[in-house]
Amino acid sequence: MGEDEEAAAEVEAAPQEALPGAEARSSSPAAQKSLSMEEIPAAKPGKTPIQLLHEYSSKANLNPIYEFEKAEGEVHMPLFTFKVTVGDITATGEGPSKKVAKHRAAEAALTILKESSHICMSVPDPVIPEPSNQPPNQTNPIGSLQELAIQKGWRLPEYSLAKETGPPHQREFSIICRIEAHVETGMGTSKKLAKRNAAEKLLEKFHNFSGDCIINSLGNEQSHNLGCTWDTLRNSTGEKIALLKISPLSIPNTDYVQLLGEIADEQGFTATYLNIEELSVNGQFQCLVEISTNPITVCHGTGISWGNAYNVAAHNALQYLKIMAGRK
């Protein structure tokens, strides 16, 4: 649910109370614009400004109109502005999220209504939701990762849902974050938390790199694990790659995931497995394995379990490596 939808949900959740004298007011257009103290919604602690403003407006036969005006600031520290109009009253509010800005606009409108001499209205201190549960000085990893991509000239990070498990009341989500050749998976009890964890993992990976060894989208800089080209594989004297060149890759019960991992360690590249949420046409699990050679190679695998799908994907990747490493 988006921020605007959440704010709208609060209005729907606000209790709707019957008004004394509602029938008399409906028969007189003039009365619809003038409310007495008794007709103003009772002040209840814990209500948000949007709920309070909605209650007042509904009893005055008015409809608050919210308009998004602008967004300013840095990617990791945005500032949003919302405007609300209720009859002849117009007020604006700012905040670090659209939801908070909307609440503050409603709060400003309530203040104007409360201070207006021709309106009798008792308004308690409204509750404005906190923009997030994180400490004020803690950076947002999703925003920080996006900012890093912009600075480096990369494509923006891409997020995709890998899988969703658990009972309805206790779901666990797995989100894949990809930026250029780098991929990480984050887990969480919500998609937002899983996305955040994936971004944090990638940021931590980048911080562990030395200097400018992170590859950019133009390929002018290379990290150590992207220096493995087909030429280096063909000319390598490594024991594992030499065995791969002569292996039939057809021995039953072989752990191809382990074999691919050993070759990756020897040759300086990485192998990353990505779960595909949808089952194959014949009902099997699907996955991809991405090997960070230069150029990057991606192979597909299916199986009756995730482990089996990984092994098939690794086998396909090894077959491709064998072909490329053996070419003259």
Side-chain angles (χ1 to χ4, degrees), residues 125-255:
D125 292 334
V127 178
I128 298 182
E130 293 294 330
S132 67
N133 294 326
Q134 66 186 43
N137 296 328
Q138 183 176 336
T139 58
N140 174 10
I142 296 173
S144 298
L145 186 62
Q146 180 170 310
E147 191 173 60
L148 176 64
I150 294 172
Q151 291 173 355
K152 295 289 185 180
W154 300 337
R155 292 182 293 270
L156 293 179
E158 297 177 0
Y159 298 89
S160 59
L161 178 65
K163 60 180 177 179
E164 183 178 340
T165 58
H169 65 282
Q170 195 174 358
R171 304 298 285 169
E172 186 171 40
F173 300 90
S174 176
I175 296 287
I176 295 170
C177 179
R178 176 192 299 271
I179 181 169
E180 294 300 328
H182 304 278
V183 180
E184 286 292 344
T185 301
M187 306 289 291
T189 52
S190 69
K191 292 180 182 178
K192 182 177 180 180
L193 183 58
K195 183 177 177 180
R196 179 186 178 89
N197 289 339
E200 280 181 340
K201 287 184 177 181
L202 274 176
L203 284 173
E204 184 178 355
K205 175 187 285 188
F206 293 151
H207 290 159
N208 290 334
F209 288 154
S210 59
D212 295 326
C213 65
I214 305 174
I215 187 169
N216 66 16
S217 61
L218 300 179
N220 294 328
E221 305 168 65
Q222 289 187 342
S223 66
H224 70 282
N225 66 342
L226 287 176
C228 178
T229 65
W230 302 134
D231 286 337
T232 59
L233 285 175
R234 282 192 286 270
N235 299 323
S236 174
T237 58
E239 178 185 354
K240 300 297 182 181
I241 196 68
L243 290 174
L244 175 64
K245 292 177 182 179
I246 62 174
S247 172
L249 292 176
S250 58
I251 302 174
N253 302 321
T254 300
D255 188 342

Side-chain angles (χ1 to χ4, degrees), residues 74 98 100 136 165 182 187 213 270 288 291 294 299 324:
E74 302 295 331
K98 290 182 180 179
V100 173
T165 58
H182 304 278
M187 306 289 291
C213 65
T270 59
L288 299 175
I291 53 178
N294 190 8
C299 294
M324 299 307 294

Side-chain angles (χ1 to χ4, degrees), residues 249-269:
L249 292 176
S250 58
I251 302 174
N253 302 321
T254 300
D255 188 342
Y256 292 114
V257 172
Q258 180 180 346
L259 180 55
L260 180 60
E262 292 173 351
I263 294 175
D265 290 340
E266 179 186 82
Q267 298 300 317
F269 64 86

Side-chain angles (χ1 to χ4, degrees), residues 276-290:
I276 299 176
E277 187 178 5
E278 299 83 7
L279 297 178
S280 66
V281 291
N282 57 352
Q284 292 192 321
F285 292 94
Q286 299 187 92
C287 75
L288 299 175
V289 60
E290 178 184 87

Side-chain angles (χ1 to χ4, degrees), residues 5 35 44 60 94 130 136 141 181 195 244 277-278 304 323:
E5 293 173 330
L35 299 180
K44 296 183 177 64
E94 295 181 342
E130 293 294 330
K195 183 177 177 180
L244 175 64
E277 187 178 5
E278 299 83 7
I304 58 175
I323 294 170

